[in-house]
Amino acid sequence: MSTTTTTPTRELTGNYVLDDSHSRLGFVARHAMVTKVRGAFTEFSASGHFDTETPSNSTAAVTIQAASLETGNDDRDNHLKSNDFFEMDTYPEIRFTSTAVEADGDDYRVTGDLTIKDTTKPVTIDFAYTGAATDPFGNERIGFEASVQVNRKDWGLTWNAPLDAGGVLVSEKVTLELDLSAIKQDS
């Protein structure tokens, strides 16, 4: 039986690894100006230090395998993995490394360097703390969720096709969606 804690978040300070089987790194982009396509990366790893007393001491590092991209359509996935977009053969990993963390109550603003292909740009993400629990195996977990909109062209993901009725096939704006469960590594 798991229990959700109501203890102060300061007791959650420690080193964590992301539980990839209970986390999602997803994205949403508008397609043909009329609908949204959703996808996710299924292979990733992340670790960090969470310091609730001094949030600026918190850190996070994420590595995503570009080839793990899935949208539910093999043709689209292969196109996104190609040189038109992620160039996964040349750039097999997407990376995020935090550079600053600020607290707002139990929520956190994380700024860091996002590297896609050969371009690194700063991104600021507002994370909502979703809780803490001890799972049936004795693991101490914390959860966060976030979404942030980025412009894919900032990272050299510029391919597009014009539509006869106006507009383009793929939106420049992409929303990144993060649902994270991390397991504490120390007491």
Side-chain angles (χ1 to χ4, degrees):
M1 176 183 279
S2 67
T3 57
T4 301
T5 63
T6 56
T7 58
T9 57
R10 71 177 173 276
E11 294 179 20
L12 301 174
T13 294
N15 296 314
Y16 287 82
V17 295
L18 198 62
D19 178 358
D20 60 348
S21 66
H22 293 98
S23 297
R24 181 177 181 274
L25 303 181
F27 58 89
V28 180
R30 189 152 301 278
H31 178 263
M33 310 303 291
V34 297
T35 190
K36 293 178 181 176
V37 169
R38 297 178 189 282
F41 294 95
T42 60
E43 294 178 31
F44 49 86
S45 61
S47 62
H49 178 74
F50 185 54
D51 187 331
T52 56
E53 288 291 320
T54 311
S56 61
N57 289 338
S58 298
T59 62
V62 181
T63 301
I64 301 167
Q65 300 305 311
S68 73
L69 179 146
E70 292 182 1
T71 66
N73 179 290
D74 289 340
D75 290 338
R76 180 175 45 233
D77 294 353
N78 289 333
H79 189 206
L80 289 169
K81 294 173 187 179
S82 77
N83 290 348
D84 283 343
F85 288 94
F86 286 102
E87 296 182 62
M88 68 163 219
D89 290 336
T90 305
Y91 306 104
E93 295 180 339
I94 298 167
R95 295 183 175 274
F96 177 84
T97 304
S98 65
T99 57
V101 178
E102 302 169 56
D104 181 11
D106 282 344
D107 296 334
Y108 294 85
R109 173 167 281 178
V110 179
T111 299
D113 292 328
L114 177 61
T115 302
I116 301 174
K117 293 173 41 171
D118 59 350
T119 303
T120 300
K121 298 274 186 183
V123 174
T124 298
I125 307 168
D126 291 326
F127 285 90
Y129 171 71
T130 57
T134 301
D135 68 22
F137 308 103
N139 296 310
E140 293 180 55
R141 295 177 174 270
I142 56 174
F144 293 93
E145 60 187 18
S147 68
V148 63
Q149 194 171 79
V150 297
N151 187 325
R152 65 185 177 88
K153 287 186 171 186
D154 291 344
W155 285 271
L157 305 173
T158 59
W159 183 91
N160 226 327
L163 300 174
D164 290 340
V168 291
L169 187 62
V170 182
S171 63
E172 290 179 16
K173 304 276 186 205
V174 176
T175 301
L176 307 178
E177 299 175 329
L178 311 168
D179 293 301
L180 310 177
S181 176
I183 300 172
K184 194 172 189 180
Q185 298 301 295
D186 55 7
S187 300

